[in-house]
Amino acid sequence: MNPRPDDFQLIDEIAGSAEISRLTTTWSNPSGFWARLSNVDHKIIGRRYIITAFVFLALGGLLSLAMRLQLSQPEARFISADRYNQLFTMHGSNMMFLFAVPVMEAMAVFLVPLMVGTRNIAFPRLNAFSYWLFVAGGLLLWGAFLIDMGPDVGWFAYVPLSGPQYASGKRADIWAQMITFTEISALCVAVEIVVTVFKQRAPGMSLDRIPLFVWSMVVTAFLIILAMPAIMVASTALILDRLVGTHFFNPAQGGDVLLWQHLFWFFGHPEVYIIFLPAVGMVSTIVATFARRPVFGYLGMVAALIATGMLAFGLWVHHMFVAGLPRLGESFFTASSMAIAVPAGIQIFCWLATLWDGRPVFKTPLLFVIGFIVTFVMGGLTGVMVASVPFDTQVHDTYFVVAHFHYVLIGGAVFPLLGAVYYWFPKITGRMMSERLGRVVFWLVFVGFHMTFFPMHILGVMGMPRRVYTYQPELPWAALNLFVSLSSVVLALGFLVFFIDVIRSARSGAPAGPNPWQAFSLEWATASPPPPYNFVHIPVVESREPLWMQRDHFPVAEGVRFDRRELIVSGVVAAEPQARESSVGHSIWPFWAAVTTSIMLVWSIFSPWAVVWGSIPVAITLIGWFWPKGTPEDEA
Amino acid sequence: MKAVVTVDVADLPLHGSGSKSPSWWGTAAFMLIEGTGFALALVVYFYLMSVAPTWPLEAKLPDLLPGTVLTLILLASLLPNIWVARAAKRNDLRKVRIGLILMTVAGIAPLAVRPFEFAAMHIKWDGNAYGSVTWLLLGLHTTHLVTDLIETIVLSCLMFTRHGDNPRRYGDVQDNAMYWNFVVLTWLPIYVSLYWVPRL
Ligand code: HEM
């Protein structure tokens, strides 16, 4: 069970240099402008996805600093009420739809194919398409904000506020259509992840040998598949109400406003787990590597992931306690809100047991994990508090809630994510990040975070509502608000140092080698950064921690062709090889399909006919995409 | 650590058919997404019904004829659909070509009836919430009819080119047939909800 003390270095002498050069040609990533737009390598797209999502994090962070500036003193005049409405809506929507969900999927796009030992993600062109659509959605939201058309109805855009009577102009439509962009792209990635994990696992990687991060991404992908259609139905209905006069949410004509809330939270609550479960997978990975032993209770962990995923759908109503529901309904949802604490508890105890029994090495990634456990437990406690209807009624729509969900989102997802960046950065770039700066980042972010958000609980109990652009000097909130605003500068500083470290290390960090942490899973069984084909030979898996078990030999599969893009397709349960399937090559069509789709979607904010005329170019680009080009990959 | 060959896959086929192929799973996953979408649209329908004093809301009951004709056409189209899927499974190019042409016709026929269905609702999308949700359901399903028809036409053309005779294409034909089954099956609960539930 114990890892090898020396560095893992795989020597692959089976392939001669002629063969490797053929592999390199087949899987090459050509440079040049159009070639870059055509690229379908999951590592290149994953890297772009990660970087873009972090750019949105930085932009969303700037918005929150602007809000904190405005709230730092009573009756400040930095920002007008209207602009403030746009700020919190932009901040919330940007963070949820352009940062948190995409960044988790982006990590999976990069890592999952490597962790399951295959050459590329399933449906590589869909992957490229989803990235371009994500970018387009981001440009739409931020472009609108720049011309003072940013949405101002809150990140969940409740009707009637967002409906045709109260939200004139196109601001609410921008929000609704941004949803369409990001959800399509998220759904595409979810499908790719499911199929990659079901069908492209390395021979021998049976279900009980799948790394926990991969498990967490599979459960997440299913949550996306089952939850996101709800918000697509909701946002479509909203656009229809606003554009062509339907009455889904108009009580005067038989519609209903609570319908919006049900649809939104049927998506919105699983959304929290869509962000949180990948983080759980990251934590399990980091804990095992730095505790130097496999995670305690693997099966329990997998069961907890699945249970969390299922319970996530029983929780949506707890966002609507104050909306007035039948008593029994309230009790049911209170019970299930509390039940979700059980799998969360199991996971936390498994991590603690792993650390307890292992020989923990406190590198930066593990520091973030410790920060995560502390913060998340606190966020979970306030979560159990607001799960009780009487208490929720009291603090509803106050800063207590703002504090609670930032504890869960930043503590529960951003901390693990930062740890994950420190952990996988060497694999992605081939270079180490700085341990010294890493500690500085951790302490600034951790302390800055608690100083910023803990007082918000108190502000909430003192009655400060969320989404107010200012408050009167007579109210007893000024001192705490000033403290919060100053603390948010500390937090921001932490992120600044993080970005500096990332850029500096990418240029001149110490070379990492294939497996700098002596970790256990397959992504470390190849060079850093991995070559375009990922592995010279597709690995064969004989245990749950392949790099910790094998002593002097590393089993691989032979017989995959090197002169076309080929990989192994395997069975869902036991991962026995079934076929040598080809994997499509680079293509510009996904880019054009994303362009035409974007034109149609943006146009349809203004005219329903866009759906008719705009879909013609979409169809043309899709046909161009799927029409066979007679490449060797088309052989069967 | 040295790489050692323990598995040789040289003898495996270049393409797995049916559930051995990733594209089968991709189609299934998209069906799950769209099926969830249909289910939610129906939930909206029943939700609005539950808050309405009468159903249909201030409109006559929908006429049965167009919807029923369309349902029968869709059910009948399952026969050539299953036939073409079988032919594709046996890599029988001639039958696949014939079958795809039949399926193109079978895809156009319901689209010719669909406009009458909208009219049979006796209300427009902007009349009231009942009109909105019935048009939403019909519209959603029509989109699926149209997209699958286009896919079938493209596949038919493809099967008459040099790219046609290829196990990968036969797989595409099978996936397309599976998707058409899905479009037909999702219609049935919509049909019952739109036409028969208000009559209960
Ligand atoms: C980086 C430091 C961050 C700071 C200082 C910050 C600050 C704030 C503040 C002050 C508000 C309340 C605005 C109001 O109610 O008037 C807010 C709202 C919100 N934040 Fe953050 N936030 C940060 C990061 C994040 C992250 C990483 C996420 C998501 C992953 C996030 C998600 C949200 C959401 C969803 C809202 C609600 C927006 C709305 O009311 O519509 N925030 N944030």
Side-chain angles (χ1 to χ4, degrees):
Chain A
M1 269 300 166
N2 283 328
R4 303 160 48 81
D6 54 319
D7 203 347
F8 174 88
Q9 187 93 38
L10 175 63
I11 308 159
D12 194 322
E13 290 166 337
I14 307 158
S17 61
E19 282 172 296
I20 293 192
S21 87
R22 191 172 314 145
L23 200 54
T24 311
T25 324
T26 307
W27 290 85
S28 71
N29 287 325
S31 53
F33 180 70
W34 293 107
R36 281 177 214 275
L37 294 187
S38 312
N39 197 294
V40 298
D41 182 338
H42 75 99
K43 298 177 292 303
I44 305 239
I45 293 178
R47 212 169 59 198
R48 284 179 191 160
Y49 237 125
I50 297 171
I51 293 172
T52 316
F54 270 99
V55 169
F56 287 128
L57 170 70
L59 289 172
L62 290 179
L63 295 182
S64 66
L65 287 181
M67 290 191 286
R68 284 322 313 177
L69 176 67
Q70 167 68 13
L71 294 179
S72 58
Q73 60 194 69
E75 291 188 337
R77 297 192 173 274
F78 302 109
I79 289 163
S80 71
D82 177 69
R83 178 70 71 184
Y84 192 87
N85 288 347
Q86 291 185 57
L87 285 185
F88 69 71
T89 308
M90 286 288 297
H91 168 77
S93 311
N94 170 83
M95 287 300 196
M96 299 302 268
F97 299 106
L98 296 174
F99 163 64
V101 176
V103 83
M104 295 300 176
E105 291 201 308
M107 296 294 279
V109 163
F110 191 99
L111 291 170
V112 164
L114 288 164
M115 291 179 121
V116 303
T118 186
R119 295 206 188 286
N120 203 352
I121 199 162
F123 315 124
R125 291 182 183 169
L126 193 65
N127 196 25
F129 174 75
S130 101
Y131 172 72
W132 298 120
L133 220 51
F134 161 59
V135 172
L139 289 178
L140 171 69
L141 187 70
W142 281 92
F145 180 64
L146 287 184
I147 56 172
D148 203 22
M149 252 172 80
D152 55 356
V153 288
W155 84 278
F156 36 66
Y158 275 6
V159 292
L161 179 63
S162 61
Q165 307 95 311
Y166 294 97
S168 52
K170 290 292 174 194
R171 286 177 171 183
D173 304 270
I174 303 276
W175 181 86
Q177 208 60 306
M178 179 276 293
I179 297 289
T180 315
F181 277 94
T182 50
E183 307 307 73
I184 297 180
S185 82
L187 283 164
C188 291
V189 176
V191 170
E192 295 153 24
I193 291 172
V194 169
V195 178
T196 307
V197 177
F198 277 17
K199 293 308 291 176
Q200 292 187 191
R201 298 199 313 273
M205 187 183 279
S206 49
L207 291 181
D208 58 346
R209 292 178 185 160
I210 296 180
L212 282 172
F213 176 71
V214 176
W215 262 118
S216 75
M217 284 314 307
V218 172
V219 178
T220 305
F222 273 104
L223 285 184
I224 291 175
I225 287 176
L226 295 174
M228 294 227 171
I231 191 161
M232 302 231 353
V233 168
S235 65
T236 308
L238 179 63
I239 293 185
L240 290 173
D241 268 15
R242 297 175 51 85
L243 189 66
V244 298
T246 54
H247 299 288
F248 290 103
F249 306 118
N250 176 11
Q253 293 292 340
D256 188 68
V257 287
L258 278 189
L259 173 60
W260 172 268
Q261 299 196 15
H262 281 295
L263 285 172
F264 188 89
W265 290 114
F266 183 78
F267 144 82
H269 197 81
E271 164 92 344
V272 177
Y273 292 91
I274 288 169
I275 296 170
F276 173 60
L277 288 183
V280 167
M282 293 167 176
V283 170
S284 296
T285 313
I286 294 172
V287 163
T289 296
F290 291 99
R292 300 274 177 262
R293 60 150 287 158
V295 166
F296 176 83
Y298 174 90
L299 283 181
M301 294 298 268
V302 174
L305 283 170
I306 296 174
T308 314
M310 295 203 291
L311 281 173
F313 283 98
L315 292 187
W316 83 92
V317 175
H318 80 199
H319 296 265
M320 300 166 54
F321 280 154
V322 296
L325 298 160
R327 176 69 41 84
L328 182 68
E330 287 187 349
S331 313
F332 171 78
F333 284 105
T334 298
S336 62
S337 304
M338 299 203 171
I340 206 149
V342 174
I346 292 181
Q347 288 168 327
I348 289 181
F349 284 119
C350 286
W351 291 322
L352 292 180
T354 312
L355 288 172
W356 188 267
D357 185 60
R359 289 169 279 134
V361 183
F362 287 93
K363 299 270 184 181
T364 307
L366 193 58
L367 287 184
F368 275 104
V369 164
I370 309 284
F372 151 78
I373 294 181
V374 172
T375 313
F376 184 72
V377 167
M378 293 174 71
L381 286 179
T382 53
V384 174
M385 287 162 81
V386 287
S388 102
V389 178
F391 187 79
D392 183 55
T393 313
Q394 187 66 29
V395 297
H396 178 81
D397 261 346
T398 68
Y399 264 84
F400 190 89
V401 175
V402 176
H404 159 67
F405 65 70
H406 284 88
Y407 263 75
V408 182
L409 289 169
I410 299 186
V414 178
F415 283 8
L417 176 72
L418 293 180
V421 169
Y422 273 88
Y423 180 68
W424 277 298
F425 190 87
K427 183 48 62 183
I428 298 176
T429 64
R431 294 179 183 277
M432 305 297 288
M433 287 177 77
S434 154
E435 218 16 71
R436 201 169 41 83
L437 284 183
R439 279 162 201 275
V440 176
V441 172
F442 171 74
W443 286 109
L444 282 176
V445 168
F446 184 76
V447 175
F449 169 81
H450 283 278
M451 282 168 42
T452 307
F453 288 98
F454 191 81
M456 288 191 195
H457 293 112
I458 303 169
L459 278 172
V461 175
M462 285 163 76
M464 177 165 168
R466 64 192 280 201
R467 297 175 170 173
V468 287
Y469 82 104
T470 193
Y471 49 92
Q472 287 66 44
E474 307 81 82
L475 293 164
W477 305 333
L480 270 181
N481 267 308
L482 180 61
F483 181 79
V484 165
S485 293
L486 290 176
S487 308
S488 69
V489 177
V490 178
L491 178 56
L493 204 65
F495 279 102
L496 185 67
V497 179
F498 170 74
F499 284 121
I500 292 174
D501 192 14
V502 164
I503 294 169
R504 195 201 57 88
S505 307
R507 292 219 193 114
S508 55
N515 189 4
W517 312 115
Q518 286 113 51
F520 54 92
S521 44
L522 287 181
E523 76 272 30
W524 306 103
T526 184
S528 309
Y533 42 84
N534 289 355
F535 305 90
V536 177
H537 283 99
I538 294 195
V540 172
V541 174
E542 293 172 350
S543 71
R544 203 173 280 156
E545 286 85 20
L547 303 198
W548 281 356
M549 286 305 285
Q550 282 101 20
R551 291 284 158 177
D552 40 54
H553 77 286
F554 185 78
V556 297
E558 201 180 40
V560 178
R561 264 165 66 181
F562 284 10
D563 58 348
R564 67 166 200 161
R565 293 169 172 248
E566 200 169 90
L567 42 79
I568 297 180
V569 161
S570 54
V572 177
V573 176
E576 75 290 358
Q578 291 176 328
R580 289 185 287 139
E581 188 59 76
S582 63
S583 171
V584 292
H586 304 305
S587 163
I588 190 68
W589 287 107
F591 174 75
W592 289 124
V595 170
T596 53
T597 310
S598 305
I599 292 174
M600 176 182 80
L601 290 178
V602 174
W603 185 7
S604 69
I605 295 177
F606 300 94
S607 158
W609 290 104
V611 181
V612 178
W613 301 119
S615 60
I616 295 172
V618 174
I620 294 173
T621 46
L622 289 182
I623 293 170
W625 173 345
F626 287 106
W627 195 267
K629 316 283 187 305
T631 55
E633 282 72 31
D634 201 39
E635 250 174 72
Chain B
M1 217 180 310
K2 266 172 74 167
V4 179
V5 175
T6 58
V7 170
D8 190 348
V9 295
D11 294 334
L12 290 181
L14 292 188
H15 178 69
S17 63
S19 67
K20 287 190 178 141
S21 123
S23 59
W24 185 92
W25 285 91
T27 313
F30 274 104
M31 280 172 8
L32 186 57
I33 292 172
E34 286 155 46
T36 312
F38 275 118
L40 285 162
L42 277 175
V43 167
V44 172
Y45 178 86
F46 284 104
Y47 182 93
L48 290 172
M49 187 171 103
S50 76
V51 298
T54 57
W55 198 256
L57 198 62
E58 290 159 33
K60 280 199 290 171
L61 281 171
D63 301 337
L64 281 177
L65 184 66
T68 311
V69 170
L70 185 131
T71 309
L72 293 176
I73 296 179
L74 286 183
L75 287 176
S77 74
L78 289 179
L79 286 174
N81 196 43
I82 291 167
W83 185 75
V84 73
R86 290 227 178 108
K89 196 167 185 185
R90 288 193 310 270
N91 292 11
D92 184 334
L93 185 60
R94 203 180 55 88
K95 283 194 182 150
V96 166
R97 285 176 174 167
I98 299 172
L100 282 174
I101 293 173
L102 285 178
M103 283 314 295
T104 305
V105 177
I108 295 172
L111 286 177
V113 183
R114 190 41 64 79
F116 297 99
E117 252 193 287
F118 282 101
M121 290 294 147
H122 300 298
I123 188 160
K124 288 223 177 110
W125 68 90
D126 56 357
N128 61 34
Y130 167 73
S132 307
V133 72
T134 47
W135 281 64
L136 176 76
L137 282 165
L138 287 177
L140 197 61
H141 190 257
T142 311
T143 327
H144 281 75
L145 288 178
V146 174
T147 41
D148 200 48
L149 173 64
I150 296 175
E151 203 180 315
T152 309
I153 294 175
V154 174
L155 264 180
S156 316
C157 298
L158 194 51
M159 293 313 281
F160 282 92
T161 69
R162 68 189 163 87
H163 301 294
D165 196 10
N166 177 331
R168 210 170 283 285
R169 288 299 95 65
Y170 294 120
D172 293 343
V173 174
Q174 281 168 277
D175 290 347
N176 185 48
M178 172 162 87
Y179 191 75
W180 182 258
N181 288 338
F182 166 76
V183 174
V184 173
L185 293 183
T186 45
W187 170 247
L188 299 179
I190 300 177
Y191 171 70
V192 173
S193 312
L194 285 183
Y195 295 96
W196 294 99
V197 168
R199 289 184 153 78
L200 283 181

